[in-house]
Amino acid sequence: DAGVIQSPRHEVTEMGQEVTLRCKPISGHNSLFWYRQTMMRGLELLIYFNNNVPIDDSGMPEDRFSAKMPNASFSTLKIQPSEPRDSAVYFCASSNRVHNSPLHFGNGTRLTVT
Amino acid sequence: RKEVEQDPGPFNVPEGATVAFNCTYSNSASQSFFWYRQDCRKEPKLLMSVYSSGNEDGRFTAQLNRASQYISLLIRDSKLSDSATYLCVVNHDMRFGAGTRLTVKP
């Protein structure tokens, strides 16, 4: 049974470039979450979707960040333009909130912006 | 006040010790609670769900105190392999606590 799939695993880019992170949630899960983790700030919730609709994006740092979920099996997190302070590990997770089920995480994308 | 707060770490304990972590939450409407374990450079993985009546899984016991709005995790007979960061999360908005780092030493 496939878990949450994220790509790429690692991304190194230069400041000012656009970065797109991808996530495929577990089939049948109706909620998808994007998190960012750094040593300083811990695991921060950026945005989450229920049934492909963004519910809470209050954690998105600024307008440079955007997230979409065009269908139940795919989501993207885009940073444009990227900055060195965006360097972090970005996790995607999915769950079935209808049943109050726990989160299942992907392996994460380690982003380095130079 | 943050939505979810955890005991500050790190906890350094000898093998065989019993260690407990607490996690307080601010939203009284929260319904589901979970403990996750995160190893270095890995994703968080579900350790235990926390039920109203409390639950036990081997050496691990999780409890919920709704009146005081906190959950706890107790680890008995700690092993070297228990060394990790332990994170709590509340279902209402899926925000995590800062995590408590545990190191179990020989």
Side-chain angles (χ1 to χ4, degrees):
Chain A
D1 199 15
V4 176
I5 300 172
Q6 289 187 248
S7 64
R9 288 297 304 274
H10 302 274
E11 176 80 29
V12 180
T13 191
E14 292 184 347
M15 183 173 64
Q17 297 298 305
E18 178 179 296
V19 175
T20 299
L21 310 181
R22 297 173 175 80
C23 176
K24 176 179 170 55
I26 291 173
S27 177
H29 281 187
N30 64 337
S31 296
L32 182 141
F33 302 78
W34 282 102
Y35 292 89
R36 176 173 71 176
Q37 188 170 40
T38 60
M39 288 291 291
M40 292 295 293
R41 301 175 68 91
L43 193 60
E44 301 175 277
L45 177 64
L46 300 178
I47 185 172
Y48 77 89
F49 297 82
N50 276 355
N51 298 317
N52 313 338
V53 176
I55 301 300
D56 182 355
D57 65 354
S58 60
M60 295 286 262
E62 48 198 91
D63 291 346
R64 297 184 298 107
F65 285 69
S66 62
K68 293 183 179 180
M69 192 165 186
N71 57 61
S73 59
F74 184 66
S75 177
T76 60
L77 178 67
K78 188 173 293 187
I79 308 172
Q80 166 63 20
S82 58
E83 296 181 4
R85 61 191 168 122
D86 301 332
S87 297
V89 180
Y90 291 80
F91 288 107
C92 176
S94 69
S95 77
N96 188 334
R97 273 173 80 84
V98 172
H99 298 111
N100 286 329
S101 70
L103 294 167
H104 297 264
F105 282 81
N107 292 331
T109 295
R110 184 170 295 275
L111 173 64
T112 302
V113 183
T114 61
Chain B
R1 182 183 174 185
K2 292 184 179 178
E3 293 93 343
V4 181
E5 295 198 60
Q6 288 190 242
D7 279 350
F11 284 64
N12 297 308
V13 302
E15 263 187 300
T18 295
V19 62
F21 310 132
N22 283 336
C23 175
T24 58
Y25 61 94
S26 59
N27 193 323
S28 59
S30 301
Q31 295 294 319
S32 303
F33 310 87
F34 307 97
W35 282 102
Y36 281 75
R37 170 195 169 123
Q38 186 175 27
D39 293 291
C40 188
R41 303 179 78 86
K42 298 281 190 181
E43 74 275 18
K45 292 187 178 179
L46 179 67
L47 178 65
M48 295 181 76
S49 301
V50 186
Y51 303 124
S52 298
S53 55
N55 49 305
E56 188 174 311
D57 183 3
R59 299 181 293 109
F60 298 82
T61 300
Q63 291 192 314
L64 166 64
N65 185 316
R66 283 196 182 275
S68 300
Q69 293 185 203
Y70 75 86
I71 61 173
S72 63
L73 177 68
L74 181 77
I75 306 175
R76 290 180 298 277
D77 188 23
S78 53
K79 311 290 184 190
L80 297 177
S81 58
D82 293 335
S83 297
T85 296
Y86 291 83
L87 300 145
C88 61
V89 64
V90 177
N91 174 257
H92 183 80
D93 55 12
M94 289 301 193
R95 282 180 165 80
F96 281 79
T100 301
R101 186 172 181 84
L102 171 67
T103 301
V104 181
K105 299 186 173 181

